Structures are given as structure tokens and as C-alpha cells.
Amino acid sequence: MHKEFVMGNEAIGLGALAAGVNVVAGYPGTPSTEVLETIAKRRGDTTYVEWSVNEKTAMELVAGAAYSGARALVTMKQVGLNVAADPLMSLEYVGVKGGLVILVADDPGPISSQTEQDTRHFAAFSKVPCLDPSSAEEAYRMVQEAFQLSEKYGTPVFLRPTTRVCHGYASLDVKDPEEYSVHVPDGFVKDSKRWVIFPRLSYANHQKIVARNETLSQEFSRYEGNSVTEFPKAEGEKVPSGQANGKGVKPLTLGIAASGISYAYALECLKQMALPCQVKLLKVSTPYPFPKELAGSFLESVESVLCLEELDPVVEDGLIWVCGKKKLSTTVLGKHTGHTAVAGENTKDLVKQWIQRFLQQGAAADAKEDEQATGKDAPELPVRPPVLCAGCPHRASFYAVKQAMKGKKTIFCGDIGCYTLGNAMPLDMVDTCLCMGAGVSIAQGVGHVDPDTTCFAFVGDSTFFASAITGVVNAVYNQADMTLIILDNSTTAMTGHQPHPGTGMTMMGEIVDKVNMEQVLRGVGVRTVETVNPLCLEEAVETVKRVAAEPGVKAIIFSYPCISIACDFTRHLREVGPVRILPDKCIQCRKCIRELGCPALIVADGKVAIDETLCTGCGLCRQICPTGAIVGGDTVQKPRVRTGDDPAGEGGFRNA
């Protein structure tokens, strides 16, 4: 064993390696991404790892590995679980042979997601056991226990950390590689009665699953991750107003039930507070199946309970159910009663405020401290609106389409990725955004209802492979009239520059043949497919005008690498240099600022200026300046190739 200071996601990855994981697959999505990346970086020769094209594919791949007796891990964020839901639901009925852990990172806030959905509900819906860590240390231990639990009961197991567990850091003891468990799969054994799902098999297994989860509920009531901690009344503290106890009446005891990171916050607060009465803290690390026996004994020992959890009232509902089942009069407070927030991320300050209110501490000093803790008197932090990076090729792509379609009735259907930021002014080029790949299909729906609208669908290169291909097939098959715009920046930029099928590199570091998007599009029946550099603005605009005027389904691939994957950004700037403004030619029309919104274009001392610390020299602003006042930058506008394409690295780009 040795100590390491690690992120929660790194702890999970290291825990999986310590458990002897054989196969790991996933799809990148914040806040889950670093789990797979840690395994890829620290794995040994017996662990296979990949970024799959989407979560459904990843789930099916690890199912096959678990059928063959391997220990397998699949990683995703909460909205990715929606994509993987189809195989997951059937997989629980079929079961597994090797241990299978499903890492789903929830995103309260949400900080970087479309929704705040709570995976604990999905656990109950799919009847899959769920572990809910409250810290990096616990996540490291729990992922190892999850593999054991999966193999013991022949079921997939959820591990559901939330953002602050995923991205928090801790110093913890981790195993040395020579201490890792060695798991040798015994291979797939043919048995159609087990591995082929039929209604009769599902009916029988459904009954077994219900019985198994009842057993698990009892086991979880004894699980060390679930516990009750007592905090005594502080000496000299008065009993809360209205709750004084008469002679012979048992001392007042209040309860707090918490899970995940909210438990860590509650534990810290209770250790620091002068408590007016005895408080019992129930930790629920297994939201499904709910530890009913432990919860029942806890509820019998307290007068009322405050529930602290992210995101939905899962623990709260479990306690209410137990109260009803055991006919207890204990009051359960939380989201349903308005005592805690129904949405958003919990913080230590909020948890402290809720606990103080629950304990009815009304001293003036406490009230003032609470007001300061919640930031009511603090100045507002400066707001940095999300914006496309300086030099981002997506800005040029959006601008080219906008210029080409001036004066026409259009809809620009967006998608999930960096390019969602194209919705911001002054570009204003994202009219819809639902989920990954949806823009392609939404554009078809609008076109069928409003045929005089010129319909565009924007999708990134990674998302094209992940979930947009089927929408394109549907468009061709059903004779839609739309223009597909693929924003190819040679990486999965939004989640940290992971490789995808179009990059020519795998997560194992292998150089492979790229999947050619033009060939894919032509293969499914798209007859017009053109590739253009968006930073060659005039050519890009003319291409959009010409292609969009054609009937049926057609596609334009705007191809230029993300500026953030430059392997030698300093050399790039030295060769290209930022643009500069000629003061004698600049008429201060501010067209560059008004139309592009590039963060490198600023106003200093009342005049347009270039922030040289941000400018990448892409030259887009130079091409729209009406007086030629902007000069320099990249005058050739040739796309740089990555080192995966050019071993000499002359282009200055590489795969992540």
C-alpha cells in the first residue's frame, strides 16, 4: 500500500484496477470521464480499455465480457445512461457471470449536463443494486465491493458518485500493482437457456430478482457503508424552544439522514456545532435496495428526521415508506416538505443552514453566521459567460452558414458539444438543442411541418459517430429536405479531447484506420457531400449557398482542428502570430466584435483592440473587416494535420 493524493474519479479507476478489472468501456461525459482515462493510463497488460462510440455500445460490450466471466466496468454520466437503458433493462433480467459495475456519475446543478436526473431512480426502475459513495476514499473501496457483490448475486451493480465526489481530492491508501487481485475469465459457456432472453425466462427471473433484492435489503442493513452515528447534546445548551421535556420524559433525540456528499457535509457540520439535543446521523450508502431494517430501528429512536441528499427525495421516500410500514409517528422532513432544496447542488453552507434551522438554534450569533455562510452579504462573483474559444473553427463555420442564409427562412438545429455555444450572441446560430444526435431528426420534423423552412442540423464529429448516423439514415430513407453540417475539429473537445473513430487513434494508444465520414455519408445514400475549411470564409459561404440549394439530404463537413490540441502552441503562434490592427485604417465600425463575438476582440480605451494573449491568428476577423484594417495571422488557412497523420509532426497537431 502507498498514499496518493487523487481525484475521486482517479480513486474509482484505481479501485477497479485493484479489483482486477479485465475490460473497461465507456463514453466520455463530465463528470465521469477521468475514471476510464485513469485506467487507460495505469492499466497493466491484462486490462483492455476503449472509448466506445456511445454508451449503448459500451454497455453491450461489457455485457459480453461479463458473460465470459470477466470483471468489467462501463463508465458514463447520467444522461448517457438513457442511451444505455435498452441493453441495461434486459441485462438485469439475464444476469451476468463475471462482476459488472456500471459507473454513472450524476451532475447536480447541473454543471455540464442537460438534466439533473437521479440515477438512484434508475436503479429502482431497473432493479439494479446501487452504491452511493460519499468521498473519494469510500469510492475507492466501494468499486471493489461492487465487483464482489455483482459476482455473488449475478447482477450488474451501479456505482453512483456525484460531481463533488468525482472531482474532489483526497489523500488515501491505495494498493500497489503487485497487490491487485488477478481475475482470470473462464470464457463464454454456451447456454441458450441462460443467455438468450425470452418472455418465459424474463417472467421467471423477474420473480428471482424481487426475492434477491429483498435479501439484499437485509444484507445492506448490516453493510458497513450504512451506519448510525450518535452526537450528544452539548453541555449547557438549551433544548430547542417548544420542545422542553418534563420530568420522566426521555431526552429529545432528532435524526438526520444523509447520502453521498451530503453525508460528508452533515458529518462535518455536526462535529462543529454545539447541539441543543442528542442527534443521530443515518448514513445511507445503498439507496437501492433500501436498508429497511436499519432505517426502521433508526426511525424508532428519533422524534423527527431531516433528509439531506442530491438530487431527488430517494432516501426521504424510503424513510416515509418504512414509517408507513411500521406505523411509526416519526416526522420525516426534506424536499417534500420544503425543508431542503428540490433542485441543484448541495453545499456545506446550505447543509449547515438546513441543520441549524432543523435544530431550531435561533441565537443572534448563529443567525448572523448563517447569513454570512450562505453569502447573502458577499459581493457577487464576476460572471464569465460561456463562449467559443478564440480561434475555434466552429465560430467560422457558424458565421459562414449565417452569411450564406441571410434573408432566408431557416432553422439551425444544434446538438451537444462545444458548438452548443453557437447559441450565444452575436452568432445566435443554435435554435434547438435536445440531446446528442437529436438535431438531425428535429430538422426533419420541422421540415415536414414547415416545408418552406431551410433546415440545417449541426453535429460534431464525435457526436456524428455516437448518435447521429441513424438520424441521417432516417432522413435519406424518408426523403427529407435538409442540410447536415458536420463540425469536424478532429477531437471530442467538450469532455477533454478524447479520441473517436474519426481520429485514427484508440484509447489503447493504437494508430488505426480512420472511419471516413464522407464515405459513411455516401454509403447511406447522401449524394452531395463536400468538405471545406471554415476559415477560408469566402469558399465556405459559397459552398453553403450551393449545397443548401440542392433538394434532399446533403452534407457539408467543415474540417479544421480544435486549436486546443496543438502539440506546440507556442511554435504555432510564433509561426502564425496574432492578428494586429492598423490604426490609420480602422474606422471603429466594430463589425468584427458585433458579428463574431471572439474573446480576443476587445475594446480598450474606446477603440477596437486585439488581446494578444488570446488571439490564435486564425484570421477570421481579418476576412470580414470592411477596410482591411486587420492584418497578419494565418493568411494561408491550411488545416494543420495531427502527428497521427504526419509522423514528422510538421503540422503541429496531434491526437489527445
Side-chain angles (χ1 to χ4, degrees):
M1 298 282 283
H2 66 282
K3 277 199 177 295
E4 285 196 41
F5 185 64
V6 296
M7 180 193 292
N9 280 343
E10 292 177 298
I12 294 170
L14 292 173
L17 288 171
V21 67
N22 304 111
V23 176
V24 184
Y27 188 79
T30 304
S32 72
T33 307
E34 296 86 0
V35 174
L36 191 144
E37 291 180 334
T38 298
I39 294 172
K41 182 171 63 176
R42 306 282 290 266
R43 68 182 180 86
D45 295 336
T46 59
T47 302
Y48 171 82
V49 59
E50 75 170 37
W51 284 125
S52 303
V53 296
N54 61 24
E55 295 87 352
K56 179 179 186 293
T57 302
M59 182 73 74
E60 293 160 349
L61 185 146
V62 297
Y67 287 176
S68 301
R71 283 192 164 181
L73 171 71
V74 61
T75 71
M76 63 196 73
K77 67 190 293 183
Q78 83 283 10
V79 288
L81 184 57
N82 300 333
V83 181
D86 191 14
L88 169 66
M89 298 301 293
S90 296
L91 182 60
E92 172 64 344
Y93 277 72
V94 172
V96 295
K97 183 168 65 171
L100 175 54
V101 177
I102 304 169
L103 182 283
V104 183
D106 281 5
D107 184 22
I111 298 171
S112 60
S113 306
Q114 307 97 289
T115 69
E116 279 194 302
Q117 70 189 57
D118 192 323
T119 295
R120 296 176 299 170
H121 286 306
F122 223 119
F125 176 48
S126 60
K127 298 180 173 60
V128 173
C130 181
L131 303 181
D132 193 6
S134 61
S135 64
E137 298 95 326
E138 193 167 43
Y140 177 76
R141 188 188 76 244
M142 272 189 176
V143 68
Q144 298 175 67
E145 294 170 342
F147 280 111
Q148 297 169 358
L149 188 68
S150 174
E151 289 170 349
K152 179 179 179 180
Y153 288 98
T155 176
V157 174
F158 278 119
L159 183 68
R160 180 254 182 188
T162 55
T163 301
R164 297 305 164 188
V165 173
C166 290
H167 288 169
Y169 276 79
S171 180
L172 63 149
D173 293 319
V174 299
K175 294 179 180 178
D176 297 316
E178 54 269 22
E179 298 176 277
Y180 289 176
S181 297
V182 178
H183 186 80
V184 181
D186 58 2
F188 181 77
V189 178
K190 290 190 176 184
D191 184 357
S192 61
K193 293 181 180 178
R194 180 174 184 182
W195 305 122
V196 181
I197 189 167
F198 284 112
R200 183 182 295 272
L201 176 66
S202 297
Y203 173 74
N205 285 353
H206 189 180
Q207 297 177 79
K208 295 177 183 177
I209 290 168
V210 171
R212 179 207 70 200
N213 284 348
E214 190 60 37
T215 301
L216 270 173
S217 174
Q218 298 171 16
E219 182 173 328
F220 284 164
S221 289
R222 298 182 293 275
Y223 172 55
E224 66 176 356
N226 296 323
S227 62
V228 177
T229 305
E230 296 186 9
F231 295 85
K233 172 182 176 294
E235 293 185 10
E237 286 294 314
K238 296 181 180 180
V239 175
S241 175
Q243 295 181 339
N245 294 276
K247 188 177 180 180
V249 179
K250 67 176 183 178
L252 177 69
T253 300
L254 298 178
I256 294 173
S259 67
I261 193 65
S262 299
Y263 167 79
Y265 295 153
L267 181 64
E268 188 173 347
C269 289
L270 290 172
K271 287 180 177 179
Q272 296 171 349
M273 288 181 177
L275 302 176
C277 62
Q278 184 184 45
V279 176
K280 291 188 176 183
L281 175 62
L282 171 67
K283 178 188 179 188
V284 179
S285 296
T286 58
Y288 185 83
F290 197 69
K292 293 179 282 190
E293 291 181 7
L294 178 65
S297 60
F298 167 75
L299 288 166
E300 289 173 340
S301 68
V302 297
E303 303 290 329
S304 61
V305 180
L306 176 67
C307 298
L308 303 170
E309 56 189 316
E310 295 173 335
L311 286 153
D312 295 334
V314 173
V315 171
E316 186 177 350
D317 286 344
L319 294 178
I320 291 171
W321 186 93
V322 173
C323 281
K325 188 73 173 178
K326 298 177 74 71
K327 297 181 173 59
L328 301 176
S329 59
T330 307
T331 303
V332 179
L333 307 174
K335 296 178 186 291
H336 287 310
T337 60
H339 287 78
T340 61
V342 297
E345 186 179 26
N346 290 350
T347 65
K348 184 193 171 186
D349 292 336
L350 280 173
V351 166
K352 181 180 179 181
Q353 175 187 347
W354 295 332
I355 291 176
Q356 286 181 326
R357 189 177 299 154
F358 175 62
L359 299 179
Q360 296 184 12
Q361 288 184 318
D366 290 332
K368 184 177 181 181
E369 178 186 356
D370 193 48
E371 186 173 302
Q372 292 173 347
T374 54
K376 291 179 181 177
D377 290 340
E380 290 188 8
L381 294 174
V383 176
R384 178 191 180 274
V387 64
L388 293 171
C389 299
C392 177
H394 298 338
R395 177 178 288 104
S397 301
F398 282 126
Y399 187 74
V401 176
K402 186 173 186 177
Q403 293 304 109
M405 291 295 107
K406 270 188 175 180
K408 294 188 177 182
K409 183 180 180 182
T410 55
I411 184 170
F412 304 116
C413 299
D415 216 291
I416 304 299
C418 292
Y419 45 94
T420 308
L421 299 176
N423 75 316
M425 299 300 286
L427 290 174
D428 191 23
M429 284 293 289
V430 177
D431 295 322
T432 71
C433 184
L434 181 62
C435 62
M436 286 187 69
V440 180
S441 304
I442 289 175
Q444 296 168 52
V446 172
H448 290 313
V449 174
D450 203 353
D452 63 338
T453 298
T454 302
C455 298
F456 285 82
F458 291 88
V459 67
D461 45 345
S462 178
T463 302
F464 172 76
F465 292 113
S467 56
I469 294 176
T470 52
V472 178
V473 173
N474 189 75
V476 173
Y477 172 60
N478 288 294
Q479 304 174 70
D481 187 2
M482 61 166 288
T483 304
L484 174 68
I485 303 291
I486 299 179
L487 304 171
D488 177 14
N489 63 357
S490 303
T491 188
T492 311
M494 187 183 191
T495 52
H497 306 290
Q498 294 78 21
H500 61 68
T503 62
M505 181 179 284
T506 71
M507 197 56 181
M508 301 276 282
E510 302 163 326
I511 302 299
V512 297
D513 291 337
K514 297 180 185 179
V515 178
N516 187 293
M517 285 185 286
E518 278 201 24
Q519 292 177 359
V520 171
L521 289 167
R522 295 187 191 280
V524 300
V526 181
R527 295 177 181 175
T528 298
V529 183
E530 296 201 22
T531 299
V532 65
N533 180 355
L535 290 174
C536 294
L537 184 59
E538 184 177 346
E539 179 186 353
V541 172
E542 291 305 313
T543 301
V544 174
K545 288 180 179 179
R546 184 179 68 257
V547 172
E550 296 184 16
V553 182
K554 50 275 183 189
I556 299 171
I557 302 173
F558 281 123
S559 181
Y560 197 90
C562 173
I563 197 65
S564 296
I565 62 173
C567 63
D568 188 349
F569 189 61
T570 302
R571 188 185 70 181
H572 165 68
L573 283 181
R574 189 165 60 244
E575 293 176 351
V576 175
V579 298
R580 63 185 189 279
I581 296 176
L582 302 177
D584 57 329
K585 285 192 174 184
C586 181
I587 60 174
Q588 299 300 321
C589 66
R590 301 191 182 182
K591 180 180 180 181
C592 53
I593 293 177
R594 287 185 291 103
E595 296 196 3
L596 297 180
C598 176
L601 291 164
I602 60 174
V603 176
D605 298 325
K607 295 182 179 181
V608 177
I610 304 295
D611 185 340
E612 295 187 0
T613 64
L614 294 177
C615 180
T616 65
C618 74
L620 180 62
C621 57
R622 185 190 66 245
Q623 297 176 72
I624 73 166
C625 179
T627 64
I630 302 176
V631 297
D634 192 344
T635 59
V636 180
Q637 304 300 347
K638 290 182 178 178
R640 286 161 180 74
V641 294
R642 300 175 306 275
T643 56
D645 306 313
D646 177 9
E650 294 176 358
F653 289 86
R654 61 170 174 82
N655 279 314

